[in-house]
Amino acid sequence: MSLSLADWFQRLGGVDPAPFFVLSLLPYLAFLWWAQKVRAFPRLALRGFQLTLLFVAVTIAAAVVAQLAYGRQLADVDPLHGGAEAFLTLSNLVVLLGFRPRQDGPLPGEQVLRERGTVRPDPEDGASASAS
Amino acid sequence: MHALSLPTWWIHITSVLEWGLAILAVQAYGRLRREGGWRWLSLAMVPALVSAMAACTWHLFDNSEALKGLVVLQAGLTALGNGALALAAWNLLRLQRLAPEDGTP
């Protein structure tokens, strides 16, 4: 192969990325579908991952507006670009908060799966009571 | 790097930082629960992190037409990463079904 890395990258730039973005939606929906069936999956984190879909929707709408109103790609219309991206900042924050370590017990509706023999501290003990 | 205003840069950087911290938080969550499936989920979140960095690099170079390959890289890694996320969630579900109904021996 005489194709150098620079040549390869140049050719890569000629590929239309849109189908990949569209295609990536399918496995993401499968991810959400399976994740919500996992009882130990933090509900707040799940909300965050679902919010990412809102980011996608807003991004698509913003890209259309950028093209129709300004004749430019979204990344070149700063307010639309930043405004759309802020939805990702929000959803990532919710994902992060969802997985943040908790001192108190599991949220309502969340079942704790334990391995055999694993002892979980009683929520009534002093260590966790002092944190609440 | 002037294609993006300072607020838009901060929005981007914050998103990436949050995702990186979320990867670590998922790992910690798995350690706390003593369940291995969460480490796979955190690993599955890595392609999206690389994808985001590719996008930010493209922005850093003013969305240059010559660097359009970075956008294709971003798109490909997004598709790959989402597939990995789906597998990781399916694996968590598989482990849940393998686990005994309750922890009592």
Side-chain angles (χ1 to χ4, degrees), chain A residues 40-65:
Chain A
F41 211 103
R43 295 297 110 175
L44 187 63
L46 203 58
R47 284 283 166 273
F49 283 122
Q50 289 164 347
L51 268 175
T52 306
L53 287 180
L54 180 66
F55 155 72
V56 172
V58 170
T59 301
I60 292 170
V64 170
V65 172

PDB file of all heavy atoms in Angstrom, chain A residues 40-65:
ATOM      1  N   ALA A  40     -30.670  -1.590  37.859  1.00  0.00           N
ATOM      2  CA  ALA A  40     -29.652  -0.834  38.605  1.00  0.00           C
ATOM      3  C   ALA A  40     -29.193   0.416  37.861  1.00  0.00           C
ATOM      4  O   ALA A  40     -28.388   1.177  38.381  1.00  0.00           O
ATOM      5  CB  ALA A  40     -28.455  -1.736  38.895  1.00  0.00           C
ATOM      6  N   PHE A  41     -29.688   0.618  36.633  1.00  0.00           N
ATOM      7  CA  PHE A  41     -29.271   1.801  35.872  1.00  0.00           C
ATOM      8  C   PHE A  41     -29.868   3.050  36.522  1.00  0.00           C
ATOM      9  O   PHE A  41     -31.094   3.168  36.619  1.00  0.00           O
ATOM     10  CB  PHE A  41     -29.728   1.685  34.414  1.00  0.00           C
ATOM     11  CG  PHE A  41     -28.812   2.376  33.445  1.00  0.00           C
ATOM     12  CD1 PHE A  41     -27.926   1.644  32.666  1.00  0.00           C
ATOM     13  CD2 PHE A  41     -28.809   3.765  33.333  1.00  0.00           C
ATOM     14  CE1 PHE A  41     -27.067   2.266  31.780  1.00  0.00           C
ATOM     15  CE2 PHE A  41     -27.943   4.394  32.459  1.00  0.00           C
ATOM     16  CZ  PHE A  41     -27.077   3.644  31.674  1.00  0.00           C
ATOM     17  N   PRO A  42     -29.041   3.984  36.978  1.00  0.00           N
ATOM     18  CA  PRO A  42     -29.590   5.170  37.639  1.00  0.00           C
ATOM     19  C   PRO A  42     -30.587   5.888  36.736  1.00  0.00           C
ATOM     20  O   PRO A  42     -30.298   6.168  35.577  1.00  0.00           O
ATOM     21  CB  PRO A  42     -28.357   6.043  37.883  1.00  0.00           C
ATOM     22  CG  PRO A  42     -27.196   5.120  37.849  1.00  0.00           C
ATOM     23  CD  PRO A  42     -27.575   4.031  36.883  1.00  0.00           C
ATOM     24  N   ARG A  43     -31.790   6.138  37.283  1.00  0.00           N
ATOM     25  CA  ARG A  43     -32.857   6.739  36.458  1.00  0.00           C
ATOM     26  C   ARG A  43     -32.472   8.120  35.942  1.00  0.00           C
ATOM     27  O   ARG A  43     -32.805   8.492  34.825  1.00  0.00           O
ATOM     28  CB  ARG A  43     -34.160   6.830  37.269  1.00  0.00           C
ATOM     29  CG  ARG A  43     -34.740   5.479  37.640  1.00  0.00           C
ATOM     30  CD  ARG A  43     -35.132   4.660  36.428  1.00  0.00           C
ATOM     31  NE  ARG A  43     -34.232   3.509  36.263  1.00  0.00           N
ATOM     32  CZ  ARG A  43     -34.370   2.558  35.348  1.00  0.00           C
ATOM     33  NH1 ARG A  43     -35.374   2.579  34.522  1.00  0.00           N
ATOM     34  NH2 ARG A  43     -33.499   1.585  35.245  1.00  0.00           N
ATOM     35  N   LEU A  44     -31.740   8.877  36.775  1.00  0.00           N
ATOM     36  CA  LEU A  44     -31.338  10.226  36.354  1.00  0.00           C
ATOM     37  C   LEU A  44     -30.365  10.156  35.170  1.00  0.00           C
ATOM     38  O   LEU A  44     -30.468  10.932  34.216  1.00  0.00           O
ATOM     39  CB  LEU A  44     -30.700  10.974  37.534  1.00  0.00           C
ATOM     40  CG  LEU A  44     -30.384  12.444  37.289  1.00  0.00           C
ATOM     41  CD1 LEU A  44     -31.654  13.242  37.032  1.00  0.00           C
ATOM     42  CD2 LEU A  44     -29.615  13.053  38.469  1.00  0.00           C
ATOM     43  N   ALA A  45     -29.432   9.198  35.225  1.00  0.00           N
ATOM     44  CA  ALA A  45     -28.472   9.026  34.127  1.00  0.00           C
ATOM     45  C   ALA A  45     -29.207   8.649  32.843  1.00  0.00           C
ATOM     46  O   ALA A  45     -28.883   9.132  31.750  1.00  0.00           O
ATOM     47  CB  ALA A  45     -27.450   7.954  34.486  1.00  0.00           C
ATOM     48  N   LEU A  46     -30.238   7.815  33.000  1.00  0.00           N
ATOM     49  CA  LEU A  46     -31.045   7.414  31.848  1.00  0.00           C
ATOM     50  C   LEU A  46     -31.733   8.637  31.222  1.00  0.00           C
ATOM     51  O   LEU A  46     -31.754   8.783  29.995  1.00  0.00           O
ATOM     52  CB  LEU A  46     -32.093   6.392  32.305  1.00  0.00           C
ATOM     53  CG  LEU A  46     -32.659   5.469  31.241  1.00  0.00           C
ATOM     54  CD1 LEU A  46     -31.583   4.661  30.565  1.00  0.00           C
ATOM     55  CD2 LEU A  46     -33.704   4.557  31.847  1.00  0.00           C
ATOM     56  N   ARG A  47     -32.244   9.522  32.101  1.00  0.00           N
ATOM     57  CA  ARG A  47     -32.844  10.775  31.617  1.00  0.00           C
ATOM     58  C   ARG A  47     -31.817  11.562  30.794  1.00  0.00           C
ATOM     59  O   ARG A  47     -32.140  12.130  29.754  1.00  0.00           O
ATOM     60  CB  ARG A  47     -33.290  11.641  32.797  1.00  0.00           C
ATOM     61  CG  ARG A  47     -34.561  11.200  33.477  1.00  0.00           C
ATOM     62  CD  ARG A  47     -35.800  11.581  32.697  1.00  0.00           C
ATOM     63  NE  ARG A  47     -36.963  10.866  33.217  1.00  0.00           N
ATOM     64  CZ  ARG A  47     -37.333   9.653  32.814  1.00  0.00           C
ATOM     65  NH1 ARG A  47     -36.647   9.022  31.884  1.00  0.00           N
ATOM     66  NH2 ARG A  47     -38.392   9.073  33.337  1.00  0.00           N
ATOM     67  N   GLY A  48     -30.603  11.611  31.290  1.00  0.00           N
ATOM     68  CA  GLY A  48     -29.530  12.330  30.594  1.00  0.00           C
ATOM     69  C   GLY A  48     -29.269  11.750  29.216  1.00  0.00           C
ATOM     70  O   GLY A  48     -29.151  12.484  28.227  1.00  0.00           O
ATOM     71  N   PHE A  49     -29.191  10.428  29.141  1.00  0.00           N
ATOM     72  CA  PHE A  49     -28.951   9.772  27.852  1.00  0.00           C
ATOM     73  C   PHE A  49     -30.135  10.008  26.902  1.00  0.00           C
ATOM     74  O   PHE A  49     -29.957  10.119  25.692  1.00  0.00           O
ATOM     75  CB  PHE A  49     -28.715   8.271  28.052  1.00  0.00           C
ATOM     76  CG  PHE A  49     -27.335   7.939  28.564  1.00  0.00           C
ATOM     77  CD1 PHE A  49     -27.156   7.241  29.753  1.00  0.00           C
ATOM     78  CD2 PHE A  49     -26.196   8.318  27.858  1.00  0.00           C
ATOM     79  CE1 PHE A  49     -25.886   6.932  30.236  1.00  0.00           C
ATOM     80  CE2 PHE A  49     -24.914   8.013  28.329  1.00  0.00           C
ATOM     81  CZ  PHE A  49     -24.766   7.325  29.516  1.00  0.00           C
ATOM     82  N   GLN A  50     -31.356  10.083  27.476  1.00  0.00           N
ATOM     83  CA  GLN A  50     -32.530  10.376  26.642  1.00  0.00           C
ATOM     84  C   GLN A  50     -32.497  11.823  26.152  1.00  0.00           C
ATOM     85  O   GLN A  50     -32.874  12.111  25.020  1.00  0.00           O
ATOM     86  CB  GLN A  50     -33.816  10.120  27.435  1.00  0.00           C
ATOM     87  CG  GLN A  50     -34.095   8.649  27.677  1.00  0.00           C
ATOM     88  CD  GLN A  50     -35.123   8.414  28.761  1.00  0.00           C
ATOM     89  OE1 GLN A  50     -35.474   9.318  29.518  1.00  0.00           O
ATOM     90  NE2 GLN A  50     -35.602   7.176  28.860  1.00  0.00           N
ATOM     91  N   LEU A  51     -32.003  12.716  27.023  1.00  0.00           N
ATOM     92  CA  LEU A  51     -31.904  14.135  26.650  1.00  0.00           C
ATOM     93  C   LEU A  51     -30.971  14.329  25.451  1.00  0.00           C
ATOM     94  O   LEU A  51     -31.112  15.299  24.701  1.00  0.00           O
ATOM     95  CB  LEU A  51     -31.389  14.948  27.840  1.00  0.00           C
ATOM     96  CG  LEU A  51     -32.436  15.562  28.766  1.00  0.00           C
ATOM     97  CD1 LEU A  51     -31.751  16.232  29.956  1.00  0.00           C
ATOM     98  CD2 LEU A  51     -33.282  16.580  28.014  1.00  0.00           C
ATOM     99  N   THR A  52     -30.021  13.412  25.282  1.00  0.00           N
ATOM    100  CA  THR A  52     -29.109  13.500  24.143  1.00  0.00           C
ATOM    101  C   THR A  52     -29.892  13.471  22.830  1.00  0.00           C
ATOM    102  O   THR A  52     -29.488  14.087  21.842  1.00  0.00           O
ATOM    103  CB  THR A  52     -28.078  12.360  24.198  1.00  0.00           C
ATOM    104  OG1 THR A  52     -27.433  12.400  25.480  1.00  0.00           O
ATOM    105  CG2 THR A  52     -27.021  12.506  23.120  1.00  0.00           C
ATOM    106  N   LEU A  53     -31.040  12.755  22.839  1.00  0.00           N
ATOM    107  CA  LEU A  53     -31.886  12.718  21.637  1.00  0.00           C
ATOM    108  C   LEU A  53     -32.451  14.101  21.337  1.00  0.00           C
ATOM    109  O   LEU A  53     -32.603  14.490  20.179  1.00  0.00           O
ATOM    110  CB  LEU A  53     -33.027  11.707  21.815  1.00  0.00           C
ATOM    111  CG  LEU A  53     -32.642  10.227  21.767  1.00  0.00           C
ATOM    112  CD1 LEU A  53     -33.877   9.361  21.968  1.00  0.00           C
ATOM    113  CD2 LEU A  53     -31.964   9.876  20.447  1.00  0.00           C
ATOM    114  N   LEU A  54     -32.755  14.843  22.427  1.00  0.00           N
ATOM    115  CA  LEU A  54     -33.253  16.216  22.247  1.00  0.00           C
ATOM    116  C   LEU A  54     -32.157  17.074  21.609  1.00  0.00           C
ATOM    117  O   LEU A  54     -32.418  17.875  20.705  1.00  0.00           O
ATOM    118  CB  LEU A  54     -33.676  16.798  23.604  1.00  0.00           C
ATOM    119  CG  LEU A  54     -34.215  18.228  23.596  1.00  0.00           C
ATOM    120  CD1 LEU A  54     -35.533  18.300  22.838  1.00  0.00           C
ATOM    121  CD2 LEU A  54     -34.395  18.769  25.006  1.00  0.00           C
ATOM    122  N   PHE A  55     -30.915  16.858  22.071  1.00  0.00           N
ATOM    123  CA  PHE A  55     -29.775  17.562  21.473  1.00  0.00           C
ATOM    124  C   PHE A  55     -29.685  17.272  19.969  1.00  0.00           C
ATOM    125  O   PHE A  55     -29.480  18.189  19.168  1.00  0.00           O
ATOM    126  CB  PHE A  55     -28.472  17.150  22.192  1.00  0.00           C
ATOM    127  CG  PHE A  55     -27.221  17.311  21.367  1.00  0.00           C
ATOM    128  CD1 PHE A  55     -26.710  18.572  21.083  1.00  0.00           C
ATOM    129  CD2 PHE A  55     -26.555  16.201  20.862  1.00  0.00           C
ATOM    130  CE1 PHE A  55     -25.565  18.730  20.320  1.00  0.00           C
ATOM    131  CE2 PHE A  55     -25.416  16.343  20.096  1.00  0.00           C
ATOM    132  CZ  PHE A  55     -24.919  17.610  19.817  1.00  0.00           C
ATOM    133  N   VAL A  56     -29.857  16.014  19.618  1.00  0.00           N
ATOM    134  CA  VAL A  56     -29.796  15.633  18.199  1.00  0.00           C
ATOM    135  C   VAL A  56     -30.888  16.351  17.404  1.00  0.00           C
ATOM    136  O   VAL A  56     -30.625  16.925  16.339  1.00  0.00           O
ATOM    137  CB  VAL A  56     -29.919  14.091  18.045  1.00  0.00           C
ATOM    138  CG1 VAL A  56     -30.053  13.698  16.574  1.00  0.00           C
ATOM    139  CG2 VAL A  56     -28.707  13.390  18.659  1.00  0.00           C
ATOM    140  N   ALA A  57     -32.107  16.359  17.959  1.00  0.00           N
ATOM    141  CA  ALA A  57     -33.232  17.008  17.281  1.00  0.00           C
ATOM    142  C   ALA A  57     -32.971  18.509  17.113  1.00  0.00           C
ATOM    143  O   ALA A  57     -33.179  19.067  16.021  1.00  0.00           O
ATOM    144  CB  ALA A  57     -34.516  16.771  18.075  1.00  0.00           C
ATOM    145  N   VAL A  58     -32.507  19.154  18.176  1.00  0.00           N
ATOM    146  CA  VAL A  58     -32.230  20.592  18.127  1.00  0.00           C
ATOM    147  C   VAL A  58     -31.110  20.882  17.123  1.00  0.00           C
ATOM    148  O   VAL A  58     -31.169  21.859  16.366  1.00  0.00           O
ATOM    149  CB  VAL A  58     -31.858  21.122  19.540  1.00  0.00           C
ATOM    150  CG1 VAL A  58     -31.327  22.538  19.460  1.00  0.00           C
ATOM    151  CG2 VAL A  58     -33.061  21.060  20.465  1.00  0.00           C
ATOM    152  N   THR A  59     -30.085  20.002  17.112  1.00  0.00           N
ATOM    153  CA  THR A  59     -28.962  20.191  16.186  1.00  0.00           C
ATOM    154  C   THR A  59     -29.426  20.122  14.734  1.00  0.00           C
ATOM    155  O   THR A  59     -29.008  20.925  13.898  1.00  0.00           O
ATOM    156  CB  THR A  59     -27.870  19.139  16.452  1.00  0.00           C
ATOM    157  OG1 THR A  59     -27.425  19.287  17.803  1.00  0.00           O
ATOM    158  CG2 THR A  59     -26.693  19.319  15.516  1.00  0.00           C
ATOM    159  N   ILE A  60     -30.304  19.150  14.452  1.00  0.00           N
ATOM    160  CA  ILE A  60     -30.819  19.007  13.082  1.00  0.00           C
ATOM    161  C   ILE A  60     -31.591  20.262  12.685  1.00  0.00           C
ATOM    162  O   ILE A  60     -31.377  20.836  11.601  1.00  0.00           O
ATOM    163  CB  ILE A  60     -31.705  17.741  12.956  1.00  0.00           C
ATOM    164  CG1 ILE A  60     -30.834  16.483  13.116  1.00  0.00           C
ATOM    165  CG2 ILE A  60     -32.424  17.715  11.612  1.00  0.00           C
ATOM    166  CD1 ILE A  60     -31.612  15.194  13.261  1.00  0.00           C
ATOM    167  N   ALA A  61     -32.464  20.720  13.603  1.00  0.00           N
ATOM    168  CA  ALA A  61     -33.256  21.919  13.327  1.00  0.00           C
ATOM    169  C   ALA A  61     -32.343  23.138  13.122  1.00  0.00           C
ATOM    170  O   ALA A  61     -32.532  23.919  12.171  1.00  0.00           O
ATOM    171  CB  ALA A  61     -34.225  22.176  14.482  1.00  0.00           C
ATOM    172  N   ALA A  62     -31.333  23.273  13.992  1.00  0.00           N
ATOM    173  CA  ALA A  62     -30.410  24.407  13.890  1.00  0.00           C
ATOM    174  C   ALA A  62     -29.614  24.361  12.588  1.00  0.00           C
ATOM    175  O   ALA A  62     -29.360  25.399  11.963  1.00  0.00           O
ATOM    176  CB  ALA A  62     -29.458  24.407  15.093  1.00  0.00           C
ATOM    177  N   ALA A  63     -29.240  23.154  12.156  1.00  0.00           N
ATOM    178  CA  ALA A  63     -28.481  23.004  10.910  1.00  0.00           C
ATOM    179  C   ALA A  63     -29.326  23.427   9.713  1.00  0.00           C
ATOM    180  O   ALA A  63     -28.827  24.061   8.771  1.00  0.00           O
ATOM    181  CB  ALA A  63     -28.012  21.556  10.759  1.00  0.00           C
ATOM    182  N   VAL A  64     -30.623  23.085   9.763  1.00  0.00           N
ATOM    183  CA  VAL A  64     -31.534  23.461   8.674  1.00  0.00           C
ATOM    184  C   VAL A  64     -31.675  24.986   8.621  1.00  0.00           C
ATOM    185  O   VAL A  64     -31.597  25.600   7.550  1.00  0.00           O
ATOM    186  CB  VAL A  64     -32.911  22.772   8.855  1.00  0.00           C
ATOM    187  CG1 VAL A  64     -33.933  23.347   7.884  1.00  0.00           C
ATOM    188  CG2 VAL A  64     -32.786  21.264   8.644  1.00  0.00           C
ATOM    189  N   VAL A  65     -31.849  25.599   9.804  1.00  0.00           N
ATOM    190  CA  VAL A  65     -31.975  27.058   9.876  1.00  0.00           C
ATOM    191  C   VAL A  65     -30.699  27.736   9.366  1.00  0.00           C
ATOM    192  O   VAL A  65     -30.747  28.699   8.588  1.00  0.00           O
ATOM    193  CB  VAL A  65     -32.295  27.519  11.323  1.00  0.00           C
ATOM    194  CG1 VAL A  65     -32.233  29.036  11.433  1.00  0.00           C
ATOM    195  CG2 VAL A  65     -33.664  27.006  11.758  1.00  0.00           C
TER     196      VAL A  65
END
